[in-house]
Amino acid sequence: MGYWVKVIPPSSRARIHDGECVHCRNGQGQENQDKGGGPTRWEGPFATVAQARTFMASLHYRDTDVCRHCNP
Ligand SMILES: [Zn+2]
């Protein structure tokens, strides 16, 4: 249990997910998702949404938000 940040460097985008979210699955990503050697990665787990937000802010990305599916 915890919160994860999906980090997508090519689009300077990051999203916070609940670990239980089907899009996150505790950092494993969606089932059958391509897990190739790309730069996209999961950071976590964070104990609280606030900690995840602090990490996300440190990225200085222009597009940061929470997942609209799990809405942590
Ligand atoms: Zn989610």
Side-chain angles (χ1 to χ4, degrees), residues 42-72:
W42 291 93
E43 296 283 351
F46 298 94
T48 65
V49 174
Q51 287 175 6
R53 282 188 182 281
T54 298
F55 167 76
M56 194 164 68
S58 75
L59 297 169
H60 301 293
Y61 280 179
R62 61 175 179 270
D63 182 2
T64 58
D65 206 344
V66 296
C67 172
R68 293 303 176 198
H69 179 80
C70 57
N71 199 26

Tab-separated table of all heavy atoms in Angstrom, residues 42-72:
chain	number	residue	atom	x	y	z
A	42	TRP	N	8.435	4.344	-12.714
A	42	TRP	CA	7.649	4.571	-11.507
A	42	TRP	C	8.585	4.888	-10.367
A	42	TRP	O	9.608	4.235	-10.207
A	42	TRP	CB	6.841	3.317	-11.154
A	42	TRP	CG	5.749	3.021	-12.118
A	42	TRP	CD1	5.826	2.210	-13.209
A	42	TRP	CD2	4.404	3.522	-12.086
A	42	TRP	NE1	4.607	2.186	-13.851
A	42	TRP	CE2	3.725	2.974	-13.180
A	42	TRP	CE3	3.724	4.382	-11.224
A	42	TRP	CZ2	2.387	3.263	-13.451
A	42	TRP	CZ3	2.396	4.670	-11.486
A	42	TRP	CH2	1.741	4.115	-12.591
A	43	GLU	N	8.216	5.873	-9.562
A	43	GLU	CA	8.963	6.199	-8.346
A	43	GLU	C	8.053	5.961	-7.152
A	43	GLU	O	6.915	6.423	-7.132
A	43	GLU	CB	9.426	7.661	-8.364
A	43	GLU	CG	10.417	7.988	-9.468
A	43	GLU	CD	11.843	7.515	-9.173
A	43	GLU	OE1	12.119	7.087	-8.035
A	43	GLU	OE2	12.673	7.583	-10.102
A	44	GLY	N	8.560	5.270	-6.171
A	44	GLY	CA	7.750	5.020	-4.999
A	44	GLY	C	8.162	3.736	-4.314
A	44	GLY	O	9.173	3.145	-4.662
A	45	PRO	N	7.400	3.277	-3.357
A	45	PRO	CA	6.156	3.905	-2.903
A	45	PRO	C	6.396	5.038	-1.921
A	45	PRO	O	7.404	5.056	-1.219
A	45	PRO	CB	5.429	2.752	-2.201
A	45	PRO	CG	6.528	1.886	-1.669
A	45	PRO	CD	7.663	1.999	-2.671
A	46	PHE	N	5.469	5.969	-1.914
A	46	PHE	CA	5.449	7.046	-0.931
A	46	PHE	C	4.318	6.751	0.054
A	46	PHE	O	3.255	6.285	-0.344
A	46	PHE	CB	5.207	8.394	-1.614
A	46	PHE	CG	6.295	8.762	-2.588
A	46	PHE	CD1	6.159	8.454	-3.940
A	46	PHE	CD2	7.455	9.386	-2.160
A	46	PHE	CE1	7.166	8.774	-4.849
A	46	PHE	CE2	8.460	9.714	-3.062
A	46	PHE	CZ	8.317	9.409	-4.408
A	47	ALA	N	4.578	7.044	1.333
A	47	ALA	CA	3.599	6.713	2.374
A	47	ALA	C	2.360	7.594	2.286
A	47	ALA	O	1.259	7.155	2.623
A	47	ALA	CB	4.237	6.844	3.752
A	48	THR	N	2.535	8.822	1.818
A	48	THR	CA	1.413	9.753	1.755
A	48	THR	C	1.389	10.451	0.397
A	48	THR	O	2.412	10.533	-0.297
A	48	THR	CB	1.519	10.836	2.849
A	48	THR	OG1	2.674	11.647	2.584
A	48	THR	CG2	1.639	10.221	4.239
A	49	VAL	N	0.218	10.974	0.051
A	49	VAL	CA	0.100	11.753	-1.189
A	49	VAL	C	0.993	12.992	-1.099
A	49	VAL	O	1.611	13.398	-2.092
A	49	VAL	CB	-1.365	12.159	-1.428
A	49	VAL	CG1	-1.477	13.092	-2.636
A	49	VAL	CG2	-2.225	10.925	-1.657
A	50	ALA	N	1.087	13.570	0.111
A	50	ALA	CA	1.909	14.771	0.286
A	50	ALA	C	3.367	14.486	-0.073
A	50	ALA	O	4.028	15.303	-0.720
A	50	ALA	CB	1.800	15.279	1.718
A	51	GLN	N	3.875	13.332	0.335
A	51	GLN	CA	5.260	12.979	0.007
A	51	GLN	C	5.419	12.780	-1.501
A	51	GLN	O	6.422	13.165	-2.091
A	51	GLN	CB	5.680	11.713	0.751
A	51	GLN	CG	5.904	11.961	2.238
A	51	GLN	CD	6.207	10.670	3.002
A	51	GLN	OE1	6.366	9.612	2.419
A	51	GLN	NE2	6.260	10.777	4.320
A	52	ALA	N	4.422	12.168	-2.112
A	52	ALA	CA	4.469	11.979	-3.558
A	52	ALA	C	4.452	13.334	-4.273
A	52	ALA	O	5.168	13.534	-5.257
A	52	ALA	CB	3.292	11.116	-4.012
A	53	ARG	N	3.653	14.254	-3.754
A	53	ARG	CA	3.586	15.594	-4.355
A	53	ARG	C	4.916	16.322	-4.220
A	53	ARG	O	5.349	17.027	-5.140
A	53	ARG	CB	2.488	16.419	-3.682
A	53	ARG	CG	1.090	16.066	-4.150
A	53	ARG	CD	0.085	17.060	-3.581
A	53	ARG	NE	-1.277	16.754	-3.963
A	53	ARG	CZ	-1.809	17.049	-5.150
A	53	ARG	NH1	-1.094	17.662	-6.066
A	53	ARG	NH2	-3.059	16.713	-5.426
A	54	THR	N	5.565	16.156	-3.066
A	54	THR	CA	6.860	16.808	-2.850
A	54	THR	C	7.878	16.294	-3.856
A	54	THR	O	8.622	17.060	-4.464
A	54	THR	CB	7.356	16.548	-1.414
A	54	THR	OG1	6.413	17.118	-0.507
A	54	THR	CG2	8.724	17.167	-1.185
A	55	PHE	N	7.880	14.966	-4.041
A	55	PHE	CA	8.793	14.399	-5.039
A	55	PHE	C	8.463	14.921	-6.430
A	55	PHE	O	9.345	15.330	-7.194
A	55	PHE	CB	8.710	12.864	-5.032
A	55	PHE	CG	9.376	12.267	-6.239
A	55	PHE	CD1	10.753	12.196	-6.318
A	55	PHE	CD2	8.620	11.818	-7.309
A	55	PHE	CE1	11.376	11.689	-7.453
A	55	PHE	CE2	9.233	11.310	-8.444
A	55	PHE	CZ	10.613	11.241	-8.509
A	56	MET	N	7.173	14.928	-6.757
A	56	MET	CA	6.757	15.344	-8.100
A	56	MET	C	7.156	16.793	-8.357
A	56	MET	O	7.602	17.138	-9.463
A	56	MET	CB	5.241	15.139	-8.255
A	56	MET	CG	4.771	15.222	-9.684
A	56	MET	SD	3.108	14.525	-9.911
A	56	MET	CE	2.124	15.721	-9.017
A	57	ALA	N	7.024	17.642	-7.328
A	57	ALA	CA	7.402	19.049	-7.491
A	57	ALA	C	8.896	19.182	-7.777
A	57	ALA	O	9.319	20.084	-8.508
A	57	ALA	CB	7.033	19.830	-6.234
A	58	SER	N	9.695	18.260	-7.220
A	58	SER	CA	11.145	18.336	-7.398
A	58	SER	C	11.566	18.052	-8.835
A	58	SER	O	12.687	18.340	-9.238
A	58	SER	CB	11.849	17.356	-6.450
A	58	SER	OG	11.716	16.020	-6.901
A	59	LEU	N	10.659	17.465	-9.618
A	59	LEU	CA	10.955	17.177	-11.022
A	59	LEU	C	10.924	18.440	-11.879
A	59	LEU	O	11.503	18.485	-12.957
A	59	LEU	CB	9.936	16.179	-11.580
A	59	LEU	CG	9.899	14.782	-10.961
A	59	LEU	CD1	8.666	14.040	-11.438
A	59	LEU	CD2	11.160	14.007	-11.295
A	60	HIS	N	10.164	19.438	-11.418
A	60	HIS	CA	9.966	20.688	-12.159
A	60	HIS	C	9.358	20.423	-13.532
A	60	HIS	O	9.746	21.054	-14.524
A	60	HIS	CB	11.284	21.465	-12.284
A	60	HIS	CG	11.867	21.813	-10.946
A	60	HIS	ND1	11.271	22.691	-10.070
A	60	HIS	CD2	12.979	21.361	-10.308
A	60	HIS	CE1	11.999	22.778	-8.967
A	60	HIS	NE2	13.039	21.970	-9.081
A	61	TYR	N	8.439	19.498	-13.579
A	61	TYR	CA	7.727	19.225	-14.823
A	61	TYR	C	6.575	20.203	-14.974
A	61	TYR	O	6.018	20.676	-13.982
A	61	TYR	CB	7.176	17.797	-14.816
A	61	TYR	CG	8.192	16.741	-15.163
A	61	TYR	CD1	7.832	15.392	-15.173
A	61	TYR	CD2	9.497	17.083	-15.489
A	61	TYR	CE1	8.751	14.408	-15.496
A	61	TYR	CE2	10.416	16.104	-15.815
A	61	TYR	CZ	10.047	14.764	-15.813
A	61	TYR	OH	10.943	13.797	-16.131
A	62	ARG	N	6.197	20.450	-16.233
A	62	ARG	CA	5.133	21.424	-16.479
A	62	ARG	C	3.756	20.783	-16.376
A	62	ARG	O	2.761	21.480	-16.214
A	62	ARG	CB	5.304	22.073	-17.854
A	62	ARG	CG	5.250	21.098	-19.001
A	62	ARG	CD	5.302	21.811	-20.347
A	62	ARG	NE	5.275	20.860	-21.444
A	62	ARG	CZ	6.357	20.319	-21.999
A	62	ARG	NH1	7.542	20.641	-21.549
A	62	ARG	NH2	6.247	19.439	-22.989
A	63	ASP	N	3.710	19.460	-16.483
A	63	ASP	CA	2.420	18.763	-16.482
A	63	ASP	C	2.409	17.753	-15.344
A	63	ASP	O	2.901	16.643	-15.483
A	63	ASP	CB	2.219	18.086	-17.837
A	63	ASP	CG	0.869	17.379	-17.929
A	63	ASP	OD1	0.087	17.449	-16.969
A	63	ASP	OD2	0.619	16.756	-18.975
A	64	THR	N	1.903	18.175	-14.201
A	64	THR	CA	1.836	17.290	-13.046
A	64	THR	C	0.410	17.290	-12.504
A	64	THR	O	-0.255	18.322	-12.463
A	64	THR	CB	2.796	17.742	-11.922
A	64	THR	OG1	2.479	19.075	-11.541
A	64	THR	CG2	4.243	17.679	-12.362
A	65	ASP	N	-0.036	16.125	-12.107
A	65	ASP	CA	-1.421	16.004	-11.652
A	65	ASP	C	-1.577	14.670	-10.928
A	65	ASP	O	-0.635	13.875	-10.871
A	65	ASP	CB	-2.355	16.061	-12.867
A	65	ASP	CG	-3.744	16.572	-12.496
A	65	ASP	OD1	-4.081	16.601	-11.289
A	65	ASP	OD2	-4.489	16.925	-13.413
A	66	VAL	N	-2.777	14.454	-10.415
A	66	VAL	CA	-3.095	13.139	-9.885
A	66	VAL	C	-3.851	12.365	-10.962
A	66	VAL	O	-4.468	12.952	-11.842
A	66	VAL	CB	-3.954	13.221	-8.600
A	66	VAL	CG1	-3.172	13.896	-7.483
A	66	VAL	CG2	-5.267	13.934	-8.854
A	67	CYS	N	-3.788	11.045	-10.855
A	67	CYS	CA	-4.511	10.181	-11.787
A	67	CYS	C	-6.003	10.446	-11.671
A	67	CYS	O	-6.546	10.517	-10.563
A	67	CYS	CB	-4.204	8.736	-11.464
A	67	CYS	SG	-5.192	7.551	-12.355
A	68	ARG	N	-6.673	10.579	-12.805
A	68	ARG	CA	-8.118	10.821	-12.786
A	68	ARG	C	-8.906	9.543	-12.564
A	68	ARG	O	-10.103	9.594	-12.319
A	68	ARG	CB	-8.561	11.464	-14.110
A	68	ARG	CG	-8.010	12.868	-14.301
A	68	ARG	CD	-8.398	13.768	-13.163
A	68	ARG	NE	-7.802	15.088	-13.293
A	68	ARG	CZ	-7.699	15.949	-12.276
A	68	ARG	NH1	-8.109	15.598	-11.080
A	68	ARG	NH2	-7.146	17.113	-12.464
A	69	HIS	N	-8.226	8.424	-12.631
A	69	HIS	CA	-8.913	7.149	-12.420
A	69	HIS	C	-9.001	6.852	-10.923
A	69	HIS	O	-10.085	6.593	-10.397
A	69	HIS	CB	-8.184	6.030	-13.164
A	69	HIS	CG	-8.818	4.692	-12.984
A	69	HIS	ND1	-9.915	4.293	-13.698
A	69	HIS	CD2	-8.506	3.675	-12.141
A	69	HIS	CE1	-10.261	3.083	-13.308
A	69	HIS	NE2	-9.422	2.676	-12.368
A	70	CYS	N	-7.873	6.887	-10.228
A	70	CYS	CA	-7.876	6.541	-8.803
A	70	CYS	C	-8.015	7.766	-7.915
A	70	CYS	O	-8.359	7.641	-6.741
A	70	CYS	CB	-6.631	5.742	-8.438
A	70	CYS	SG	-5.055	6.549	-8.812
A	71	ASN	N	-7.742	8.947	-8.466
A	71	ASN	CA	-7.944	10.222	-7.773
A	71	ASN	C	-7.418	10.214	-6.332
A	71	ASN	O	-8.176	10.403	-5.402
A	71	ASN	CB	-9.443	10.567	-7.796
A	71	ASN	CG	-9.666	12.041	-7.535
A	71	ASN	OD1	-8.789	12.862	-7.814
A	71	ASN	ND2	-10.835	12.368	-7.000
A	72	PRO	N	-6.115	9.983	-6.169
A	72	PRO	CA	-5.566	9.864	-4.806
A	72	PRO	C	-5.588	11.189	-4.040
A	72	PRO	O	-5.598	12.245	-4.653
A	72	PRO	CB	-4.125	9.417	-5.047
A	72	PRO	CG	-3.791	9.954	-6.394
A	72	PRO	CD	-5.064	9.880	-7.186
